Amino acid sequence: MLEELLKREPVDIKKQRLSENFGLMMSIDIERRLGDMCNLSQVLIDQGEEKGRAKGREEGKVEARFEDGMDIETIASKSQLSVERVKDILKAKGYIS
């Protein structure tokens, strides 16, 4: 049932499937609650995507600065990251070992 709620589909389709597959009788209260849960799942998906984009931007800046010849400590300072985080990014990208 939770799987149906978290799918990226219109709420109407989710309601229909929940009714057909799980025998859930749609009342006004259940429809409202279902809408709230669908909205919450979309918010969580959106937040996860934004977090991923932010991480990608962070890693991209670190890579670009390293490729420009900047030392790790300066990269950390300019990026407002710890030296360890910068090293972790550069290791993951294969720049350092």
Side-chain angles (χ1 to χ4, degrees):
M1 190 182 274
L2 185 58
E3 198 173 302
E4 285 295 330
L5 287 172
L6 298 177
K7 286 183 179 175
R8 286 190 143 209
E9 294 178 333
V11 175
D12 291 342
I13 292 173
K14 291 178 185 183
K15 289 177 187 177
Q16 181 182 353
R17 286 199 178 135
L18 289 169
S19 180
E20 290 172 359
N21 297 339
F22 300 97
L24 191 61
M25 300 299 294
M26 290 296 156
S27 66
I28 293 172
D29 186 50
I30 289 177
E31 284 193 31
R32 181 188 54 78
R33 289 179 184 193
L34 181 59
D36 290 346
M37 286 186 273
C38 291
N39 290 339
L40 176 60
S41 68
Q42 188 59 50
V43 167
L44 295 174
I45 289 167
D46 292 346
Q47 287 175 348
E49 289 174 348
E50 178 53 37
K51 188 175 180 179
R53 284 190 294 273
K55 183 178 177 183
R57 287 189 298 269
E58 174 186 271
E59 292 173 355
K61 287 179 185 178
V62 168
E63 285 182 81
R65 288 175 173 158
F66 188 77
E67 288 174 350
D68 287 344
M70 200 176 287
D71 64 84
I72 291 173
E73 289 75 17
T74 305
I75 294 171
S77 175
K78 289 193 176 288
S79 304
Q80 298 179 333
L81 300 170
S82 69
V83 170
E84 282 305 310
R85 176 70 181 130
V86 171
K87 286 181 181 178
D88 288 344
I89 291 169
L90 294 173
K91 285 178 187 175
K93 299 294 181 176
Y95 289 101
I96 62 174
S97 52

